[in-house]
Amino acid sequence: MTDAHLNLIDGNWLPGDHLTENRNPSDLSDLIGHYASATAEDVDRAARAAHAALPAWQARGPLARAELLDRIARRIDDEAESIGHMLAREEGKILPEAIAEVRRAAQIFRFYGGEALRIAGDAIASVRPGVDIEVTREPVGVVGLITPWNFPAAIPAWKVAPALAFGNAVLLKPADIVPGTAHLLARIIHEQGCPAGIFNLLMGPGSVVGRALVDHPLVSAISFTGSVATGRMIARSAAEGMKKLQLEMGGKNPMVVLDDADLEIAVPACLNGAFFSTGQRCTASSRLIVQAGIHDAFVTRLAEAMQALRVGPALDPSSQIGPVVSSAQLRGNLDYVALAAAEGCEVVGGGMAEGPTDGFFQRPALFLKARNTMRVAREEIFGPCAAVVRVGDFDEALAVANDSDYGLSAGICTGSLRHARAFRHGIRAGMVMVNLPTAGVDFHVPFGGTKGSSHGPREQGRHAVEFYTTVKTSYSFGG
Ligand code: NDP
């Protein structure tokens, strides 16, 4: 097949053993292209090539890495519109969000270009006379990066950029249903002069490619973003192989709205946090915890704003919410809508939406009168659905917000400095937002959670150095 998009292994574009169709979730008649599925043997070839290429890559030093990352950033920026178009077409995010995500990927590469030049160590006084101690950071080696479908540009960028910046070699396995954006990024990384073997793209199913990558003895570290179930499975295999591990998984992120909140802030923050990007964000505000005094006014305004959102094709400039990513995800979302009613919620919105094309369109949904014990308030849905839980006061709001297996992002809308401060200190989450949506983070600061949401060192910002390097302590005497 001439239009096939191939895997990048040891600097060569190679076919794998079969091709997978990439289709547009806004319009199933739109075939985006055919993408090669790698085999376990391809993973082995890439891992060996990566391992062999490491010494020369590390010997080139930080300036070569900084300059490479800067060139990649510039090229991503130059191509942001066309990559964003691919992202919107294959994932279903509306075009402005997709282009913004691609620009963020460029910013991440630029940021880590700078970090390549700022790898620091320590000189520490020894307790023994005449002995010097130096603590330095070294690359981990060959790293396996496994990414989900919901941020096909930003998540690969925030794993690949620090991995390269700190001198590692990369095997990237993107989600099988959105290979197009990763393929464009891989072409840019290759064309900008990344040495053969240092960056490898391995497309294909997680059950084959992901598994082979996690099990490969030459892979020293695995960074994964996706579901809790897959994360658990990977953790078990990685532990068997004694690999360094970083897992970013789900969220059931609470957004508290107190009686003293400004509705002009709270309603747009919840609308954005719960429904933008079709709710397909691990930081989505999927539990709205609302104090009794403001509850009815808040719910009326939010429901009105939610029902006015225009659901439609990702590339249609009038759309505000694109389609759900796949038929399986849509079915799952609709099952949760039915479950919400069965559990006793009053459901506003939530059915399938009519679209001009054959796509996976869903109307956003609010589950009113939810209790925090219900499944719809405890399980990550990953769609445009939010449960609303009514509470009496701040203490109850904080207790409900903390009553979750997850702890990724949490928000509060309040005019009270005292409550904002108590929330920031009392909430068990990796990220806290005051009068801001739970979703939407900066590219240069740590990202990650507590409890079931994350495992291992933080991603992004300067903290990424913890995962992508290992520490060496050197003692010397004499001279
Ligand atoms: P998965 O966890 O199944 O997939 C995430 C990545 O892991 C994909 O690249 C996938 O490959 C890969 N993978 C799957 N199985 C294995 C395996 N055995 N070994 C190694 N890698 C594997 O998430 P989905 O994309 O299927 O989404 C399912 C649910 O996960 C969503 O509904 C949502 O709840 C949650 N999710 C959370 C995200 C977050 O950011 N927190 C992001 C995306 C999803 P492949 O695509 O080929 O299956």
Side-chain angles (χ1 to χ4, degrees):
M1 182 132 341
T2 50
D3 74 339
H5 299 82
L6 307 181
N7 291 303
L8 180 63
I9 299 172
D10 197 14
N12 300 304
W13 295 101
L14 299 175
D17 69 348
H18 69 276
L19 297 174
T20 305
E21 274 187 6
N22 185 3
R23 282 195 184 266
N24 181 345
S26 299
D27 176 3
L28 298 179
S29 68
D30 177 23
L31 175 62
I32 297 169
H34 292 92
Y35 290 78
S37 267
T39 61
E41 290 70 35
D42 291 329
V43 173
D44 180 54
R45 195 177 316 164
R48 287 173 193 279
H51 191 253
L54 270 174
W57 172 233
Q58 288 165 6
R60 284 174 68 175
L63 184 57
R65 303 200 295 265
E67 288 176 346
L68 171 67
L69 294 187
D70 199 52
R71 288 197 300 277
I72 294 170
R74 261 183 283 146
R75 180 59 80 87
I76 293 173
D77 256 338
D78 290 347
E79 296 187 22
E81 304 260 327
S82 58
I83 304 172
H85 193 272
M86 164 63 85
L87 199 164
R89 197 171 157 210
E90 72 173 353
E91 198 269 350
K93 204 168 280 188
I94 57 169
L95 189 58
E97 286 182 344
I99 293 173
E101 183 185 330
V102 175
R103 294 214 180 276
R104 179 169 164 203
Q107 288 165 327
I108 290 167
F109 273 96
R110 193 168 297 114
F111 174 83
Y112 283 109
E115 287 301 282
L117 297 168
R118 283 190 284 266
I119 304 173
D122 292 312
I124 298 177
S126 170
V127 294
R128 289 172 282 172
V131 172
D132 292 328
I133 303 178
E134 244 181 34
V135 180
T136 50
R137 288 192 177 273
E138 297 190 343
V140 176
V142 179
V143 298
L145 310 180
I146 301 176
T147 56
W149 47 261
N150 61 332
F151 282 92
I155 295 182
W158 83 48
K159 295 184 193 294
V160 172
L164 294 178
F166 300 131
N168 301 284
V170 167
L171 311 183
L172 171 65
K173 193 219 99 57
D176 208 21
I177 53 171
V178 293
T181 308
H183 196 272
L184 293 177
L185 291 178
R187 178 181 51 74
I188 289 176
I189 293 168
H190 179 60
E191 285 175 0
Q192 292 311 307
C194 189
I198 291 302
F199 174 84
N200 301 273
L201 174 73
L202 296 154
M203 299 175 291
S207 55
V208 176
V209 181
R211 178 169 293 196
L213 215 149
V214 174
D215 289 344
H216 201 286
L218 290 179
V219 174
S220 305
I222 295 287
S223 178
F224 163 85
T225 302
S227 63
V228 174
T230 308
R232 277 221 175 88
M233 204 156 56
I234 288 177
R236 278 194 287 269
S237 311
E240 191 65 35
M242 295 292 183
K243 295 183 195 324
K244 197 168 182 183
L245 187 62
Q246 178 178 59
L247 304 174
E248 283 302 338
M249 298 166 290
K252 193 73 186 176
N253 307 290
M255 171 58 109
V256 170
V257 180
L258 293 184
D259 282 352
D260 62 10
D262 181 346
L263 285 177
E264 297 297 323
I265 293 174
V267 171
C270 292
L271 191 73
N272 173 329
F275 306 119
F276 287 11
S277 298
T278 322
Q280 297 177 149
R281 296 188 283 191
C282 49
T283 48
S285 314
S286 43
R287 285 188 300 149
L288 308 178
I289 300 165
V290 188
Q291 201 174 352
I294 201 169
H295 178 277
D296 292 355
F298 168 79
V299 161
T300 304
R301 296 227 344 220
L302 181 63
E304 259 172 39
M306 179 192 81
Q307 286 173 308
L309 289 171
R310 290 184 300 276
V311 179
L315 295 174
D316 180 337
S318 68
S319 299
Q320 293 172 292
I321 304 274
V324 171
V325 73
S326 66
S327 62
Q329 191 71 38
L330 178 61
R331 253 195 329 273
N333 294 351
L334 295 176
D335 285 350
Y336 273 111
V337 173
L339 177 66
E343 287 188 303
C345 293
E346 186 185 310
V347 176
V348 182
M352 283 178 72
E354 284 288 313
T357 43
D358 182 15
F360 305 124
F361 301 110
Q362 183 191 350
R363 285 184 289 122
L366 276 177
F367 305 151
L368 306 181
K369 300 183 181 161
R371 288 189 311 281
N372 204 49
T373 48
M374 292 176 177
R375 282 181 57 201
V376 291
R378 304 203 75 80
E379 298 174 12
E380 184 179 46
I381 299 174
F382 225 64
C385 307
V388 181
V389 181
R390 184 197 291 254
V391 291
D393 58 17
F394 172 80
D395 289 341
E396 190 188 354
L398 180 61
V400 169
N402 274 331
D403 178 15
S404 170
D405 295 337
Y406 295 106
L408 188 55
S409 181
I412 186 166
C413 289
T414 177
S416 151
L417 193 55
R418 184 167 63 87
H419 284 142
R421 185 172 188 279
F423 189 77
R424 281 196 289 116
H425 286 274
I427 192 73
R428 290 178 61 211
M431 297 174 288
V432 194
M433 315 288 179
V434 176
N435 293 321
L436 288 166
T438 55
V441 295
D442 284 14
F443 63 88
H444 65 304
V445 293
F447 178 98
T450 59
K451 299 193 271 183
S453 293
S454 300
H455 176 85
R458 283 282 185 269
E459 299 206 83
Q460 294 208 79
R462 302 192 70 179
H463 286 65
V465 77
E466 299 293 339
F467 180 73
Y468 290 102
T469 64
T470 180
V471 166
K472 180 179 278 176
T473 311
S474 313
Y475 296 82
S476 33
F477 177 69

